[in-house]
Amino acid sequence: GKYAQCATVIEDGTSNVYFDGVKDMMKYIFEQKTAFEKVYVTDYYKLNKVEAKRAFYVVGSKVYGPMGVELIPFSSDKDAYTFAKDHNGKKVVRFEEITEGLIKSL
């Protein structure tokens, strides 16, 4: 759809769970209290599938997803910092730095 670059997926072997954005996916992960093995996000520029744990996320930018304020994923830190600079991103975080508190603050 229109927000393809925000799409994320958790693959758990039996079924895939899709989300409109990183924010919703992270809410689900926190609710399930499960460290899913195969979590993928879409690189905002390249539109390719990236392992969520390897991606860099821009927080607080002026670019919104279908659920409003979003964490914007990139496969390279260079792209993430460039994007943050161009779109008023507040910071760049790694997957393990995305906390429940951070998600609630968005």
Side-chain angles (χ1 to χ4, degrees):
K2 166 172 171 225
Y3 291 107
Q5 74 267 42
C6 296
T8 70
V9 61
I10 295 173
E11 298 176 0
D12 70 359
T14 48
S15 62
N16 293 347
V17 191
Y18 293 90
F19 301 90
D20 282 337
V22 175
K23 191 166 65 171
D24 276 7
M25 180 186 76
M26 293 309 297
K27 280 182 187 162
Y28 177 82
I29 289 173
F30 293 133
E31 279 162 16
Q32 300 296 313
K33 297 184 174 28
T34 307
F36 296 97
E37 287 298 298
K38 297 183 176 165
V39 183
Y40 299 96
V41 296
T42 305
D43 182 293
Y44 189 81
Y45 285 148
K46 302 189 182 89
L47 299 184
N48 59 332
K49 203 160 99 168
V50 181
E51 279 183 60
K53 293 179 176 97
R54 294 194 169 169
F56 297 83
Y57 301 86
V58 175
V59 179
S61 76
K62 300 271 185 282
V63 174
Y64 299 105
M67 304 323 226
V69 178
E70 241 337 319
L71 293 147
I72 311 291
F74 297 91
S75 52
S76 90
D77 57 344
K78 191 169 138 295
D79 284 352
Y81 284 105
T82 300
F83 177 90
K85 203 175 79 203
D86 294 345
H87 299 278
N88 296 90
K90 292 191 179 64
K91 59 181 174 179
V92 174
V93 296
R94 301 306 308 267
F95 185 81
E96 60 275 7
E97 297 173 288
I98 302 172
T99 60
E100 229 168 326
L102 174 61
I103 294 298
K104 288 196 173 105
S105 76
L106 296 175

